[in-house]
Amino acid sequence: MTIAQIVLSDLHLGARDSLLTHVNDSDEIADGPSEVLTAFADGLRETLRERPKPQLVLLGDALDLGLSPFGDVSKSFLQLIDAFFPEGGHEVFRREIVYIAGNHDHHIWRMAQDHGFIASLQAGDIPGDLEYVTSITGPPAHRCRLMESLIAHRPHMAGATVSIAYPNWGLADGNTGRAVVMHHGHYLDGMYRALSSLRGFLENGEARPETMQQLEAENGPWIDFLWSDLGSAGEIGGEAGSLYATMLSAGASHDFAESIARRITGGLNSKLGINPKMQLKYGITLDNLIRASVDLTAGRAAERQRDGYGHVLGEAEIEDIGWYLGTPVANQLREELGELPRELSFVFGHTHKPFQDELMVEGYTLPVGVFNTGGWVLDEPTLMPVQGCSAVLVSDDLEVASLRLFNDPTDGAMSPVRVEGSGRVSRLADEAGAAVERAASHWADFSHIVHKRIVEEADKRVRRMLDISNEAHREAAE
């Protein structure tokens, strides 16, 4: 059995609170990979030694375009390339990377849509509209010009490609009835389906779309407008840089939702000439509707976030996974495959809370194996108990397992890196687990370095918060 793909998500390259972003003493992006990234690459390299190189799948929010400047993100992406594909050294992955955009890097997909439309024009065709989604199965047809242009800065990487799929990409085997579907996870979150909620209200109908095409057509512009390009938005981008603190504070999250609503209504008025006080129905104005919708998405999501750090999935999250896999994903799989796969595994990230489990989803014969990648971001002031990171492994016969990398240290100790399955019998979990054991010394070094970085960053953030608090008290006293 061969590990064919390794899935990483929520790297947030370029963000200062990402464990993978390497900055110097002046808080500027440094040359070369960080100590954590180097140790991670070494652990993978030793684990995969004498095995065929797997494909790297970046499952959204790999680039922190939502909150970090494009230049910082670009330099940090090259840190990743230098770690995984060192000049003159052993490369960890094949040179054909697959990128599935998320909410913070939705702009990558938006650029691919534009390039695809222009390519059709140059070929003599005039499409009816942009291509909203790609097929789940089959090789991705779009290429990421941004990342390929960055890779061109490393001449030894000539010929490397980055292909884009959105919002899902997967693999299917008709002989075994197995399939794997990968999605960043933002469409499992009501905050990113806000315009579908608006449409449902106006039509007095179902707010959750039936098809992937409808889901992206309704909500893609919303994601790109507010969530995917704040890194180039100057001051407002910086103000949104500490979402953990915002979500954890009821007052701050209310103010955050209000600021979102003001930005939307102000933009509609100044850029499109739409009066936010215009009447819709039942005496409700556009301004009323937008504020209510934002409260039902951003505001309620903040409440779930405050209540949800003690567990990986709540009832609402399980229901959303069931809808997503049972309706838009199922409809697209039936179109592409003719029927639903007998055995489905679903891989997502977004929540920064790694886990693996099985869930019953209507329409599927067997329980669906569900794997979350977690993330590499340090939420302030440090990780919460269920937060952490994993890399998801996919074999050539579409078995899936989780390489559990780290969680919040318990009593000052890190759990060892290990491989875990979803509960079903898995040759992949057994064989990959044995390979990780053989590389135990490398992974122990990785755990030590991650723990050290978490503690250092936590201390730094606590001091920063105390400085801000003391300054606020001084100003209030004056």
Side-chain angles (χ1 to χ4, degrees), residues 134-431:
T134 61
S135 61
I136 295 177
T137 56
H142 293 273
R143 299 276 284 275
C144 181
R145 295 189 181 184
L146 172 63
M147 281 178 276
E148 288 186 355
S149 296
L150 287 169
I151 291 174
H153 285 245
R154 299 295 184 260
H156 73 282
M157 289 291 291
T161 61
V162 182
S163 301
I164 297 177
Y166 183 82
N168 307 289
W169 184 64
L171 304 151
D173 186 332
N175 295 323
T176 63
R178 283 181 181 157
V180 180
V181 172
M182 309 171 210
H183 167 61
H184 173 66
H186 52 293
Y187 278 142
L188 307 178
D189 186 338
M191 184 184 299
Y192 301 96
R193 303 193 305 266
L195 295 191
S196 292
S197 298
L198 282 174
R199 187 258 310 147
F201 172 82
L202 293 171
E203 295 179 354
N204 254 348
E206 171 58 50
R208 295 189 295 197
E210 291 285 319
T211 67
M212 208 62 66
Q213 177 91 2
Q214 181 188 6
L215 181 60
E216 174 63 17
E218 290 179 349
N219 299 285
W222 154 255
I223 295 173
D224 212 55
F225 171 66
L226 190 64
W227 300 102
S228 182
D229 197 19
L230 282 173
S232 59
E235 185 177 346
I236 190 171
E239 289 174 352
S242 184
L243 291 180
Y244 168 79
T246 298
M247 293 301 188
L248 207 59
S249 163
S253 60
H254 173 75
D255 292 342
F256 179 60
E258 281 288 303
S259 69
I260 291 174
R262 285 195 301 272
R263 185 181 183 202
I264 295 171
T265 55
L268 291 174
N269 189 23
S270 63
K271 297 183 182 298
L272 301 178
I274 298 175
N275 182 3
K277 300 301 181 184
M278 65 183 290
Q279 295 275 327
L280 297 175
K281 64 177 184 177
Y282 311 137
I284 295 176
T285 66
L286 178 61
D287 181 67
N288 295 149
L289 184 58
I290 289 173
R291 288 174 181 271
S293 177
V294 170
D295 184 58
L296 285 169
T297 53
R300 298 298 167 83
E303 291 178 12
R304 289 198 301 271
Q305 201 76 326
R306 288 192 294 276
D307 295 336
Y309 276 120
H311 53 76
V312 293
L313 283 181
E315 291 184 11
E317 289 89 348
I318 293 173
E319 182 183 355
D320 278 337
I321 291 175
W323 156 75
Y324 190 74
L325 296 178
T327 305
V329 168
N331 287 335
Q332 189 171 354
L333 287 176
R334 288 191 186 99
E335 287 180 7
E336 296 182 22
L337 304 177
E339 60 182 356
L340 292 181
R342 181 184 63 86
E343 184 179 325
L344 177 69
S345 295
F346 179 57
V347 183
F348 72 108
H350 184 65
T351 67
H352 300 177
K353 295 184 281 190
F355 73 93
Q356 58 285 325
D357 205 346
E358 291 189 336
L359 297 176
M360 290 300 303
V361 177
E362 187 175 353
Y364 295 90
T365 304
L366 297 176
V368 175
V370 180
F371 298 81
N372 188 281
T373 61
W376 294 84
V377 175
L378 284 176
D379 289 319
E380 299 179 26
T382 184
L383 295 176
M384 301 299 284
V386 297
Q387 290 182 295
C389 188
S390 68
V392 174
L393 315 176
V394 181
S395 73
D396 53 357
D397 62 358
L398 303 189
E399 285 192 359
V400 181
S402 180
L403 176 62
R404 298 297 299 263
L405 297 169
F406 63 86
N407 276 94
D408 180 52
T410 302
D411 295 328
M414 297 283 285
S415 297
V417 175
R418 63 205 181 277
V419 176
E420 296 184 357
S422 64
R424 63 184 62 156
V425 176
S426 172
R427 285 176 51 214
L428 172 63
D430 293 339
E431 292 183 11

